[in-house]
Amino acid sequence: MRYFFGCGCALAIVLFSCGQNPFAVSAGAPLSGENAMEYVRTQVSFGPRPPGSESLQKCRAFISNELQGFGYRVEDDAFTAETPYGPIRMHNLIARKGDGENGAIVLASHYDTKLMEGRNFVGANDAGSSTGLVLELARVLASKDDPLDYWFLFLDGEEAFVEWSTFDSTYGSRHLAKRWKREGVAGKIRALILLDIIGDKNLDIYYDINSTPWLMDLVWEKASRMGLQPNLSRYKSSVLDDHIPFLDIGIPCVDIIDLNYGPENSYWHTEEDTLDKISPESMEKVGRVVLEILPEIQKKR
Ligand SMILES: [Zn+2]
């Protein structure tokens, strides 16, 4: 993710064998920040999780098993990305029950952590928190039978290997947006809600001017009505993140993101991004905002 203030792939569809839910939390039970936190602890236990690493592969297996435990089909959208370090095999995960016959709402996060050679960067917040919360939302929404389907997307390769640019960043979302456009899937998606860096104990969600205005306003309105201020402050920013490739193909998107992590953002992309800096309460607040806006999006279809 990057922000400014003041502003070829081979496709493999794999159905993994059914997994066990290690926390034994039943699908459909109410949202719990503590569950989301448990999902973050598990991710962090794998260590740094850059694209192509064995630890990210373990993390992917964990996410996939959880999703299948909630009754979703999980597609492994595998592709080879051309990176400054040469070709790297990457895998987006897409979890679905329905095929979006009446349309779909996508909840998304990246699940890779930034490659920081020689450093123990475990990414509790970036992107452990958003990955944990999307997984928790998948659990909560597993038994919902709304007109628009809920799809859950875990994107690989969001982080830049060397320096953020159009070509060195958002590998998974750029790949999938191209594919969804080509296959006519994009037209089914009524909204894509992207979560990124949402676990900070001191939550400051920004108003992203790149997000689709009606969706961003919906997030804002709900957050205010739920009394989540002053944590959710209306700082305007222009965020470059995984929502951009989907916006570019006409999908309404919102990025819910906290751009102020630690003093002067000093925990972001450093070894300071650890479990003790994030909280179940922050993840639960963001989760509640998401659950509150879903009925509005359902009505809008
Ligand atoms: Zn990041």
Side-chain angles (χ1 to χ4, degrees), residues 216-288:
M216 193 73 237
D217 288 342
L218 208 50
V219 167
W220 226 255
E221 190 195 309
K222 286 293 167 192
S224 313
R225 209 177 288 172
M226 288 164 65
L228 295 185
Q229 260 80 357
N231 280 342
L232 289 145
S233 45
R234 192 172 182 133
Y235 295 134
K236 289 205 174 182
S237 59
S238 167
V239 183
L240 299 180
D241 204 345
D242 278 322
H243 58 327
I244 302 294
F246 297 108
L247 282 166
D248 286 347
I249 60 165
I251 296 175
C253 296
V254 63
D255 191 6
I256 305 182
I257 186 164
D258 178 353
L259 299 168
N260 184 22
Y261 184 30
E264 307 286 318
N265 202 25
S266 57
Y267 301 160
W268 180 59
H269 285 180
T270 71
E271 285 176 304
E272 293 292 319
D273 185 0
T274 47
L275 286 167
D276 55 306
K277 315 291 194 315
I278 65 170
S279 78
E281 290 76 20
S282 293
M283 286 185 278
E284 189 163 316
K285 280 179 187 176
V286 174
R288 280 173 53 208

Side-chain angles (χ1 to χ4, degrees), residues 101-116:
E101 239 167 68
N102 300 315
I105 299 171
V106 179
L107 304 186
S109 167
H110 74 95
Y111 72 100
D112 60 307
T113 57
K114 185 166 174 60
L115 175 69
M116 297 184 125

Side-chain angles (χ1 to χ4, degrees), residues 8-230:
C9 5
L11 178 71
I13 295 180
V14 177
L15 292 173
F16 291 94
S17 60
C18 216
Q20 287 234 320
N21 178 350
F23 315 122
V25 184
S26 61
L31 178 79
S32 155
E34 193 44 56
N35 284 349
M37 190 72 188
E38 195 57 42
Y39 293 138
V40 184
R41 287 188 196 107
T42 304
Q43 293 172 76
V44 166
S45 75
F46 298 129
R49 305 174 298 285
S53 65
E54 202 185 317
S55 50
L56 192 63
Q57 198 277 324
K58 283 183 192 157
C59 185
R60 185 160 53 247
F62 161 71
I63 294 168
S64 185
N65 280 343
E66 288 299 300
L67 292 165
Q68 287 171 87
F70 306 146
Y72 295 98
R73 315 191 294 281
V74 181
E75 177 187 342
D76 178 354
D77 172 31
F79 63 102
T80 301
E82 293 302 328
T83 80
Y85 287 77
I88 292 182
R89 196 78 178 145
M90 296 191 187
H91 305 255
N92 299 320
L93 293 179
I94 309 158
R96 286 176 263 224
K97 287 194 177 172
D99 290 323
E101 239 167 68
N102 300 315
I105 299 171
V106 179
L107 304 186
S109 167
H110 74 95
Y111 72 100
D112 60 307
T113 57
K114 185 166 174 60
L115 175 69
M116 297 184 125
E117 283 170 313
R119 287 194 226 155
N120 187 33
F121 176 67
V122 296
N125 199 9
D126 185 9
S129 64
S130 51
T131 301
L133 182 56
V134 173
L135 206 43
E136 171 63 358
L137 288 165
R139 185 188 64 75
V140 171
L141 294 167
S143 51
K144 276 266 186 196
D145 191 22
D146 290 337
L148 300 176
D149 288 340
Y150 298 111
W151 295 352
F152 303 89
L153 176 56
F154 297 85
L155 293 159
D156 201 347
E158 186 265 357
E159 300 286 4
F161 285 86
V162 179
E163 201 184 340
W164 188 282
S165 72
T166 317
F167 303 103
D168 185 16
S169 71
T170 58
Y171 292 93
S173 50
R174 284 188 287 126
H175 158 79
L176 187 60
K178 230 183 264 169
R179 199 196 125 199
W180 273 355
K181 186 181 180 192
R182 191 175 63 236
E183 295 175 358
V185 177
K188 292 183 176 180
I189 301 170
R190 302 292 190 271
L192 184 147
I193 301 165
L194 178 67
L195 306 180
D196 198 4
I197 332 180
I198 45 74
D200 187 2
K201 280 181 174 167
N202 301 306
L203 196 62
D204 294 296
I205 300 295
Y206 284 57
Y207 190 99
D208 168 39
I209 57 171
N210 290 339
S211 291
T212 305
W214 70 261
L215 261 177
M216 193 73 237
D217 288 342
L218 208 50
V219 167
W220 226 255
E221 190 195 309
K222 286 293 167 192
S224 313
R225 209 177 288 172
M226 288 164 65
L228 295 185
Q229 260 80 357

